[in-house]
Amino acid sequence: MATLLHIDSAVFPQGSASREVTAAFVDAWREQHPDGKVVYRDLAANPLPHLDAASAASGIESPLRAQLAAELADADAVLIGAPMYNFTIPSTLKAWLDHVIIVGHNAGGEGSTLAGTPFTVVASRGGSYAPGTPREDFEFVQNYLEKLLKGMFAAEVDFIVPELTLAATQPAMADLIPLAEASRAKAFDDAASKAKALAARLAA
């Protein structure tokens, strides 16, 4: 029985593209692997405290960090909803990362106990920061998380990117609505196909 750790960090409980796509991923995972387990943590509804000096110094001896690290260690796969806020990840997600990355315990590149763990990140954004776009160099979600998760955990990292999510509500972006709709459809298709393939692989 495979375990999926599902992390959401979008501020709004409704109307969030990242939450909608992670929910679709979980639905497909459960359909493919009904005996599997899903552990859910909503960082917006239940935010973690920022890492303080005492917790940082105590490492795995900190009860909170130990609990979060155990959730991560027990997961066969990890799903993260990471909307772009002010060009980067939500502070709640950064707090989670600061707690779960414990050098000498689970972090350290190829020697990490999480090496090879598949992470799927739903990196939604209101505009587009894809290669070749005017704001390409403002992309600090995919670039950051890929380097962090691969560098600290030696994890397997995959992204689903619903973009232009503000097109339907911003008059200046009205001409981008068809592209936004196509991106949304692709994100849901990717969520379903990636979840089913991952669940089948881990349940085998």
Side-chain angles (χ1 to χ4, degrees), residues 16-159:
S16 160
S18 67
R19 285 179 182 272
E20 290 172 352
V21 176
T22 59
F25 187 103
V26 172
D27 286 345
W29 167 281
R30 285 184 165 133
E31 180 182 343
Q32 180 68 38
H33 188 29
D35 295 329
K37 180 180 179 182
V38 177
V39 175
Y40 183 56
R41 185 171 284 277
D42 187 335
L43 299 176
N46 297 289
L48 298 167
H50 288 295
L51 187 65
D52 59 19
S55 293
S58 58
I60 195 62
E61 300 304 319
S62 160
L64 177 58
R65 298 188 79 188
Q67 176 189 351
L68 296 171
E71 282 183 356
L72 185 55
D74 290 342
D76 297 289
V78 183
L79 172 67
I80 299 176
M84 178 184 281
Y85 292 161
N86 299 318
F87 306 123
T88 189
I89 64 172
S91 62
T92 51
L93 179 55
K94 180 61 166 62
W96 179 78
L97 290 165
D98 287 342
H99 281 289
V100 298
I101 296 172
I102 306 175
V103 176
H105 173 68
N106 60 12
E110 295 299 328
S112 168
T113 56
L114 296 166
T117 299
F119 281 69
T120 303
V121 179
V122 178
S124 61
R125 60 276 316 275
S128 179
Y129 301 81
T133 60
R135 287 195 164 185
E136 175 184 356
D137 60 346
F138 284 78
E139 207 299 305
F140 301 110
V141 174
Q142 283 179 266
N143 289 335
Y144 169 66
L145 289 176
E146 182 169 28
K147 287 178 173 58
L148 182 76
L149 297 173
K150 287 184 176 180
M152 299 302 287
F153 294 147
E156 173 189 314
V157 185
D158 194 17
F159 288 92

